[in-house]
Amino acid sequence: MRHLWLFATFVLCFSPLAAQDAAPSAIIPFQDHPARVVTDINGLNVRSTPAIENDNIVGRLQPGQQVHVLARNGDWQQVRSEDGSFGWSHSDYLIDLPPRQIGDKRLFSYVKSDEYVLREAILQYIGRHSYIYIDVNDFGSERLIDPVWLQRLGQEFDQRIYPETVALWNAGMLPSHEGDERIVALITIGRGGYYVRSRMPGEPHPTRDRIGFIESFAPNGLTNDRQLYGIAEILTHELQHLFQHRVDRRVENEEQWVGEGLASFGTLYLGYESISFYLAKAFFARPQTQLTDFRREGNYYGASMLFNAYIYEQLGREAWRSFATHPARGLDALTAVLDEIGSDKDVDSFFADWVLANYLHVQQLTDPRYRYRLLESAHLSAPAIRQIVVRLPARIQDSSNQYASHYYELWIPPIVQKRDLTLALQLANPSVQDAWLQLVQINAGEVHLQRFRASEFRNQTINATIETGAERTFLAITPFRPDDRSLIATQDYSLEIYIAGSEVDAAEQRSPLQLAAEIDVILDQIIENNASIRAENAIGAYITLVEELIAEGATVDGALGGSFLVKVAKHIHAPELLALFLDNGADPNRRENYSFTLDGIPGTYPANPLNYAVFFGDSASLELLLHAGATVDNATIRLASAGGVVNYGGARIISMLLADGTNSRITASGLRAAAELARQREHHAIADMLEAAAANMN
């Protein structure tokens, strides 16, 4: 497995047939291209104008006859033959004259900046399975495309991408273009890629045995290993689209999430980690993503990729191929496949298993239902937790897309004997809606699953059991509508949770350190899902959980010798959360038991919350810490003089540190040393401030 370059954004798609036929508004001339008339027609008319009219035929070409193509206008090409015929013939019946040679030029019509363009490209690699063309306009400078790396890209395609894709799809008759099985690939500047299955200029009609071409954008050219594999993984994705189109003649009717999932899975299957792991992370950050919906966002690609991976690993390669090529659409195809192989699961139960695998794969359990072999090297986190329930009874009011999931952690005090747990799930419209409610407990590597279907408990409570010694307990709620699986809509629901006989034995009360350990887990959850939490403005819900634990008696400094303030200042950058700990008596000078160093900045720095606030230029947190009595020393001043990680706001940070004299341990020599460092880094205004402060101390 390799470390690969990850595109920051990308567009992966089937290009629609009709869109590729859009005609340019004017004649586009280009250099003389050799071509020939396709062989499976009686003859081809040459016309005086690029249109079919009764009186504009000026000549006729024979099957297989060679011509010179001089210009293009929409679906027509201007041709000249050796026998003197000159005029316009339809592009559907003209094909480039083989054999192709390095240096040959031809036209491509493709999408660039959301518009179809007609561009010339030069053939720069011919391999056993590929022709690789380079866009002449984009890569006019040889420095952007290194011939050595282009050769390596071609070898990667010929020796790995193509043969492994053929084996995955078991395509039988290989895709070919009038007997030539090489795949045409186009490299252009941009981001993402396309499989273009409508006709290329100079290629025969799409109803004949032809395959289009695949395109990969290269943002910065091809001059190193990272760029090579970035292009290769996009070519791999688009080649999967090509093969699906080859083996599934009804592919135009397939749901988009299936097509993109098949193509993304192919990239994962071939071991291209960079883009595959990025897509998986994007989905796990937003597990509420509806599988049966599709938008051009990483989480949707990730959901469909992982579902295909689960089908492949749980049901086998043949079942995956049957799903990929089945005449039914979407989940209906999987329903048919499950029936064909005699599975004891219906599609909704299979989906429920997948929901748990997404959460439990990090546990490395022995049960294959909860693992992804193809992701074992990824070290991915579990999907984002929707809510942590720290006290029972509890009520959850929420909504979710169908065929998507929310996960809820239950922190139940350790118990000495089994307890009955009562669950009351209410759907907003139970007459048409359904949902899975899955209670999972993990104990010594074993999964204890209790699965309930809402339609079987309408207007009834659900009786579940809490086992003794559970290391982790969570709920997964997955709404769905069996009658309309493609419906794009959210479903509201509520859930009440309570333990029968709600009294808690004295032996089950949590100590301040146990409660602090739970705060630690909350902070870890925030760190793990910080981007999505901030996007949804959900930090307040986590702060409420911390408040409840503090009110219950949790120590506010940290668990197991750590510091909550350091965690917040270093990883979370949420002044409101920092203020909660400080207001409840957290020690602003408590530090972690290590020091850190920075490139280009001499010395070491204690891992205390003040130094991290300075390093990140977090003036709001810095003000809170100083007001609470954080000590300022020479190391902190030296760190501030270097500008921290952001290199802005330095003057303000210095002013705040110098203004607080109550807990200052700054010396004049320390100020002068910091001023010298500031000048070395060309922070002259800061150096002046520090030197003036040193002079005042003398």
Side-chain angles (χ1 to χ4, degrees):
M1 305 287 274
R2 300 177 175 90
H3 265 308
L4 305 176
W5 177 36
L6 172 64
F7 287 119
T9 57
F10 44 89
V11 183
L12 308 169
C13 71
F14 280 129
S15 295
L17 179 63
Q20 202 54 334
D21 291 333
S25 59
I27 295 175
I28 300 176
F30 54 95
Q31 297 181 11
D32 187 346
H33 284 266
R36 65 176 171 83
V37 180
V38 297
T39 57
D40 57 348
I41 60 173
N42 294 325
L44 177 62
N45 289 327
V46 179
R47 299 176 180 271
S48 59
T49 58
I52 297 176
E53 298 174 359
N54 292 331
D55 57 353
N56 69 344
I57 298 176
V58 295
R60 189 169 177 83
L61 302 174
Q62 299 305 310
Q65 182 176 348
Q66 181 175 340
V67 296
H68 301 275
V69 181
L70 306 177
R72 175 179 172 83
N73 186 353
D75 293 335
W76 298 82
Q77 297 191 67
Q78 190 179 50
V79 299
R80 183 185 69 242
S81 66
E82 299 299 333
D83 62 8
S85 294
F86 176 83
W88 296 90
S89 292
H90 203 279
S91 298
D92 287 350
Y93 306 100
L94 295 168
I95 184 171
D96 279 351
L97 184 65
R100 309 184 197 208
Q101 297 179 343
I102 297 295
D104 286 352
K105 293 182 179 179
R106 65 150 301 136
L107 288 181
F108 286 87
S109 179
Y110 66 91
V111 174
K112 192 174 184 68
S113 301
D114 296 326
E115 295 181 359
Y116 284 96
V117 297
L118 194 67
R119 300 283 285 272
E120 192 173 50
I122 185 169
L123 180 59
Q124 290 196 355
Y125 177 85
I126 300 177
R128 182 178 180 183
H129 301 297
S130 61
Y131 295 114
I132 299 181
Y133 287 82
I134 305 299
D135 189 307
V136 173
N137 301 76
D138 283 347
F139 297 110
S141 171
E142 290 187 1
R143 66 181 178 84
L144 292 176
I145 299 290
D146 187 317
V148 174
W149 289 99
L150 180 61
Q151 185 77 13
R152 288 189 59 185
L153 175 65
Q155 292 170 349
E156 180 75 8
F157 188 94
D158 287 338
Q159 298 171 15
R160 182 168 178 234
I161 296 172
Y162 184 86
E164 292 189 27
T165 297
V166 170
L168 174 64
W169 284 90
N170 191 25
M173 184 181 296
L174 295 175
S176 67
H177 179 59
E178 293 212 338
D180 190 344
E181 294 177 352
R182 293 180 181 88
I183 304 298
V184 175
L186 172 66
I187 309 298
T188 65
I189 282 184
R191 296 185 184 276
Y194 287 88
Y195 161 50
V196 183
R197 69 175 184 268
S198 54
R199 84 178 141 63
M200 298 157 58
E203 299 290 332
H205 195 276
T207 59
R208 294 183 173 84
D209 185 23
R210 53 141 338 266
I211 54 175
F213 68 96
I214 58 178
E215 175 187 4
S216 178
F217 293 117
N220 301 304
L222 176 54
T223 59
N224 57 50
D225 190 81
R226 185 178 66 175
Q227 292 172 347
L228 183 152
Y229 288 110
I231 298 172
E233 63 191 8
I234 297 298
L235 290 177
T236 300
H237 180 105
E238 303 312 325
L239 187 64
Q240 310 308 310
H241 282 314
L242 187 154
F243 269 84
Q244 186 195 6
H245 183 63
R246 176 67 180 177
V247 302
D248 184 4
R249 294 301 183 180
R250 301 183 63 174
V251 67
E252 288 85 356
N253 298 319
E254 186 55 270
E255 293 184 8
Q256 192 172 12
W257 71 267
V258 174
E260 294 301 339
L262 294 170
S264 298
F265 167 70
T267 307
L268 173 65
Y269 172 83
L270 264 68
Y272 288 108
E273 297 177 345
S274 179
I275 196 168
S276 301
F277 294 173
Y278 167 80
L279 297 178
K281 289 178 182 177
F283 171 58
F284 288 151
R286 300 182 66 82
Q288 67 272 28
T289 301
Q290 181 172 334
L291 173 68
T292 56
D293 186 11
F294 187 79
R295 303 170 195 175
R296 300 205 174 281
E297 300 170 12
N299 50 308
Y300 287 90
Y301 284 101
S304 54
M305 176 190 74
L306 290 174
F307 193 65
N308 270 273
Y310 196 69
I311 292 172
Y312 183 90
E313 294 193 5
Q314 298 298 314
L315 305 181
R317 179 177 294 193
E318 291 304 320
W320 175 83
R321 287 176 184 149
S322 296
F323 169 69
T325 60
H326 203 280
R329 303 174 72 235
L331 290 180
D332 290 340
L334 183 57
T335 296
V337 171
L338 291 170
D339 289 342
E340 290 168 4
I341 65 176
S343 174
D344 59 353
K345 291 184 179 296
D346 62 18
V347 70
D348 296 316
S349 298
F350 184 84
F351 184 90
D353 285 346
W354 178 64
V355 166
L356 298 186
N358 290 334
Y359 194 86
L360 293 170
H361 75 274
V362 297
Q363 304 289 331
Q364 296 294 301
L365 303 169
T366 56
D367 191 329
R369 288 179 300 168
Y370 308 128
R371 301 186 70 170
Y372 284 107
R373 294 189 303 277
L374 291 170
L375 289 173
E376 285 180 349
S377 65
H379 305 296
L380 297 171
S381 301
I385 295 293
R386 182 69 168 181
Q387 183 177 329
I388 302 173
V389 179
V390 297
R391 182 179 289 109
L392 297 179
R395 178 179 174 82
I396 296 171
Q397 191 80 35
D398 214 336
S399 64
S400 173
N401 293 321
Q402 72 158 339
Y403 290 103
S405 293
H406 285 318
Y407 301 94
Y408 305 89
E409 285 271 5
L410 299 184
W411 286 351
I412 299 174
I415 59 175
V416 295
Q417 59 184 8
K418 288 185 178 182
R419 283 286 185 86
D420 292 331
L421 189 71
T422 301
L423 306 169
L425 178 65
Q426 294 291 328
L427 303 178
N429 190 358
S431 62
V432 294
Q433 295 172 352
D434 208 342
W436 288 117
L437 174 62
Q438 302 187 84
L439 174 64
V440 179
Q441 298 166 85
I442 305 171
N443 188 355
E446 297 294 326
V447 174
H448 299 274
L449 169 64
Q450 297 171 73
R451 177 180 292 172
F452 308 98
R453 189 162 181 162
S455 57
E456 298 175 359
F457 293 90
R458 287 179 182 151
N459 302 317
Q460 300 178 40
T461 58
I462 299 170
N463 295 320
T465 302
I466 295 295
E467 303 285 342
T468 60
E471 301 159 11
R472 195 165 194 178
T473 303
F474 72 91
L475 285 165
I477 298 180
T478 306
F480 60 95
R481 285 188 56 158
D483 65 320
D484 192 353
R485 294 189 170 108
S486 297
L487 179 68
I488 312 302
T490 58
Q491 299 189 140
D492 297 328
Y493 58 84
S494 64
L495 175 67
E496 294 182 3
I497 314 169
Y498 50 93
I499 294 178
S502 58
E503 70 282 354
V504 179
D505 297 336
E508 298 174 9
Q509 296 287 354
R510 292 169 290 183
S511 71
L513 286 179
Q514 287 175 319
L515 294 167
E518 295 183 7
I519 292 177
D520 226 15
V521 174
I522 292 176
L523 298 183
D524 287 341
Q525 289 288 337
I526 297 173
I527 293 168
E528 184 176 325
N529 304 300
N530 210 353
S532 59
I533 288 171
R534 296 213 171 271
E536 298 176 5
N537 194 28
I539 189 70
Y542 288 88
I543 290 176
T544 299
L545 294 175
V546 174
E547 286 177 328
E548 292 177 357
L549 291 167
I550 292 174
E552 199 172 330
T555 179
V556 293
D557 282 324
L560 302 176
S563 168
F564 292 149
L565 296 180
V566 168
K567 266 196 171 181
V568 175
K570 181 180 179 181
H571 299 291
I572 302 175
H573 317 300
E576 62 269 43
L577 184 55
L578 197 76
L580 173 62
F581 289 117
L582 290 171
D583 290 345
N584 283 277
D587 181 0
N589 293 305
R590 183 182 174 95
R591 52 166 291 186
E592 298 279 5
N593 190 28
Y594 67 91
S595 296
F596 61 91
T597 59
L598 300 171
D599 291 341
I601 304 177
T604 59
Y605 302 90
N608 61 44
L610 188 69
N611 282 344
Y612 281 116
V614 168
F615 178 69
F616 288 106
D618 185 352
S619 58
S621 294
L622 181 62
E623 184 175 6
L624 290 169
L625 290 163
L626 291 173
H627 182 73
T631 299
V632 182
D633 59 15
N634 290 333
T636 304
I637 291 292
R638 186 170 64 249
L639 180 63
S641 70
V645 73
V646 291
N647 277 329
Y648 67 84
R652 182 182 180 191
I653 297 295
I654 292 288
S655 297
M656 294 174 68
L657 294 173
L658 294 177
D660 187 86
T662 307
N663 297 288
S664 177
R665 295 180 183 173
I666 305 169
T667 65
S669 61
L671 290 170
R672 285 191 288 270
E676 182 179 352
L677 176 61
R679 291 212 185 277
Q680 291 173 3
R681 299 174 69 85
E682 299 185 354
H683 300 161
H684 299 297
I686 290 177
D688 292 342
M689 293 174 60
L690 294 168
E691 289 170 352
N696 289 335
M697 291 186 71
N698 291 334

